Amino acid sequence: FGLFVTVLGLILTHVLVPTALTRLKDREAEISRNMTARLLTAGEFTTPSGGTTFYIREITPEGELLDIFLSDSRSDGVDLTYTAARAYLVRSETGPQLVMLDGLVQSLDTETGRLTTTVFEDFAYDIGALLPVSDSRGRDIQELGTAELLNPDPALLDEVGGTEARFLALGHDRFAQAFLGLVGPLLGFSALMVGGFSRFGLGRQIIGAIFLVVLVKVLESSGATLARSDVRLWPLVYLPTLAGLVIPAVLLTIAARPGLLRRKTGAAA
């Protein structure tokens, strides 16, 4: 059973979890690029960023925007107000553009109070300036393959951000986490085998097994913390696995030789 869980753990930590995180991050980036969901809300005033207000009266089934109002006061000393009868949201090489038709630009100098108006037939406004959207995203360390974590180069460290010790600790931790699937059943089985039959039940053995699991988890936390602090300490990641194999071996040896402790006790007496 422990070996079966370990194999499943190896598949999860090395394949399924990194792949799932990559798909999730890609989906999040796709949603963040969906300008229609973030900005185009008919009949409501929205504030996509500080100093800007956007309003659309109606969005037709064909994607045409009717009666546009856009206020931009991000520039010091100048407030810009755009109004247009119609508009379209289009994508370009430089990012999303709002193409407004049959409209008016009002420029107010806040220092002098002078208002300037300009009528236009068509005008392209950089929506990306309101909601910066990047088609590329940096990878997260959890998305990296195990081979990349165990052999990080300077370019990868700079891309993801982090130390070599952290990369090595996480790469080896994927193996260690899977091996804990073997440690758990061994600890429980060996703890139950110690002590033999008792009419009072297995309460002491169960409490002992719980204590051993807690001990292994403490070693796991301590080893991971130390491994992330120094690149030379990555073997400490396997400390809970080693302890989780040694302890059951000792307990099973005692269970196979029930007179061992009694002889030692008698000798000590």
Side-chain angles (χ1 to χ4, degrees):
F1 175 76
L3 290 174
F4 177 73
V5 174
T6 299
V7 171
L8 292 181
L10 289 172
I11 296 174
L12 282 172
T13 57
H14 293 283
V15 180
L16 296 183
V17 171
T19 301
L21 287 175
T22 299
R23 297 289 180 85
L24 176 62
K25 296 293 184 180
D26 290 340
R27 182 57 178 165
E28 289 176 348
E30 179 183 346
I31 292 175
S32 69
R33 290 193 295 266
N34 189 342
M35 301 299 297
T36 301
R38 298 185 63 188
L39 182 61
L40 303 184
T41 305
E44 295 183 10
F45 286 91
T46 60
T47 305
S49 64
T52 60
T53 303
F54 192 60
Y55 175 82
I56 307 169
R57 180 180 62 84
E58 182 183 355
I59 303 176
T60 67
E62 293 77 19
E64 184 179 28
L65 314 179
L66 303 180
D67 294 336
I68 309 302
F69 171 85
L70 174 60
S71 175
D72 186 351
S73 59
R74 293 173 298 166
S75 300
D76 294 336
V78 179
D79 289 345
L80 298 174
T81 302
Y82 301 86
T83 55
R86 296 174 296 130
Y88 297 92
L89 188 65
V90 299
R91 295 190 178 275
S92 65
E93 296 181 356
T94 58
Q97 302 285 326
L98 180 67
V99 179
M100 294 178 281
L101 307 176
D102 301 327
L104 175 70
V105 181
Q106 301 178 64
S107 176
L108 175 63
D109 190 323
T110 57
E111 295 182 359
T112 63
R114 182 177 180 181
L115 178 66
T116 304
T117 61
T118 304
V119 178
F120 60 84
E121 293 183 0
D122 59 84
F123 182 83
Y125 186 89
D126 184 12
I127 289 293
L130 298 181
L131 293 174
V133 178
S134 175
D135 291 332
S136 61
R137 65 172 183 84
R139 291 188 295 172
D140 186 86
I141 189 173
Q142 299 289 344
E143 301 177 56
L144 300 179
T146 303
E148 293 178 295
L149 291 173
L150 297 180
N151 300 281
D153 53 37
L156 183 61
L157 293 174
D158 184 65
E159 175 192 352
V160 178
T163 62
E164 184 179 359
R166 184 187 176 199
F167 274 63
L168 290 177
L170 179 58
H172 289 285
D173 186 63
R174 290 182 177 179
F175 290 99
Q177 289 296 323
F179 293 152
L180 290 179
L182 174 62
V183 168
L186 286 178
L187 285 175
F189 174 75
S190 60
L192 292 178
M193 293 296 294
V194 174
F197 172 78
S198 173
R199 60 178 179 172
F200 296 105
L202 299 173
R204 290 184 301 174
Q205 288 92 329
I206 293 175
I207 294 175
I210 295 174
F211 172 77
L212 293 176
V213 171
V214 171
L215 176 62
V216 169
K217 296 302 291 185
V218 170
L219 293 176
E220 176 190 1
S221 177
S222 302
T225 301
L226 293 173
R228 287 193 294 267
S229 64
D230 192 329
V231 68
R232 297 168 297 181
L233 298 180
W234 63 262
L236 293 179
V237 173
Y238 297 99
L239 183 60
T241 302
L242 179 61
L245 295 177
V246 171
I247 293 174
V250 173
L251 294 180
L252 290 177
T253 300
I254 295 174
R257 301 177 180 179
L260 183 63
L261 291 179
R262 286 197 293 269
R263 286 199 299 270
K264 289 184 177 181
T265 302

